[in-house]
């Protein structure tokens, strides 16, 4: 009896619900689960797609969706988020790589 009361007070008997990490898409600005998003990082001036989500540096997230990518490109979301100019060639390669993730998601 005393053990049960102690376990309830300390939370040993309660099941903890794990929170799902949410991230906001740079294109559509909707919050979605982190696991369904693609991370783009900027570290030491290099902008790269981070498929594992563990790379160093500042990261932004995008949905694997063509419309979100087009919105982000039109709003210059990557340049604003990373506070730097990104060459057109680098942007093209990043969005091309993101398009490949969209195809894999389908």
């Amino acid at each position: 009896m005393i053990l049960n009361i102690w376990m309830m007070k300390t939370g040993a008997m309660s099941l903890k619900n794990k929170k799902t990490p949410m991230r906001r898409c740079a294109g559509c600005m909707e919050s979605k689960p982190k696991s369904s998003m693609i991370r783009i990082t900027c570290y030491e001036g290099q902008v790269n797609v981070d498929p594992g989500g563990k790379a160093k540096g500042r990261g932004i997230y995008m949905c694997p969706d063509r419309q979100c990518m087009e919105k982000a490109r039109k709003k210059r979301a990557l340049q604003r988020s990373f506070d730097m100019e990104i060459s057109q060639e680098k942007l093209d390669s990043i969005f091309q790589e993101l398009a490949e993730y969209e195809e894999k998601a389908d």
Side-chain angles (χ1 to χ4, degrees), residues 5 20 27 31 36 40 42 50-51 57-58 60 66 68 72-73 78 105:
I5 294 171
T20 304
S31 292
S36 68
I40 303 166
C42 179
D50 177 21
R58 169 119 173 96
I60 63 169
R66 173 92 42 203
C68 289
R73 186 173 224 166
L78 273 67

Side-chain angles (χ1 to χ4, degrees), residues 2-98:
I2 295 173
L3 182 62
N4 286 343
I5 294 171
W6 174 80
M7 290 175 76
M8 287 192 308
K9 284 184 178 179
T10 60
M13 288 184 69
S14 67
L15 297 174
K16 290 188 177 183
N17 293 332
K18 278 198 159 186
K19 292 182 183 177
T20 304
M22 303 292 280
R23 298 294 182 264
R24 186 174 297 244
C25 175
C28 64
M29 301 306 284
E30 291 181 21
S31 292
K32 296 183 181 178
K34 179 181 173 181
S35 59
S36 68
M37 308 282 271
I38 302 168
R39 185 170 186 243
I40 303 166
T41 61
C42 179
Y43 183 68
E44 294 181 348
Q46 297 289 349
V47 179
N48 296 307
V49 176
D50 177 21
K54 301 287 184 185
K56 290 182 179 180
R58 169 119 173 96
I60 63 169
Y61 291 83
M62 290 188 60
C63 302
D65 182 33
R66 173 92 42 203
Q67 286 128 355
C68 289
M69 293 176 208
E70 290 173 6
K71 285 179 186 177
R73 186 173 224 166
K74 187 176 181 181
K75 294 190 306 188
R76 297 176 43 93
L78 273 67
Q79 292 94 323
R80 284 187 300 107
S81 295
F82 297 138
D83 195 26
M84 62 181 281
E85 280 302 315
I86 303 171
S87 69
Q88 192 62 37
E89 295 82 27
K90 185 64 178 174
L91 280 174
D92 291 339
S93 69
I94 289 170
F95 283 104
Q96 179 62 39
E97 192 172 345
L98 288 172

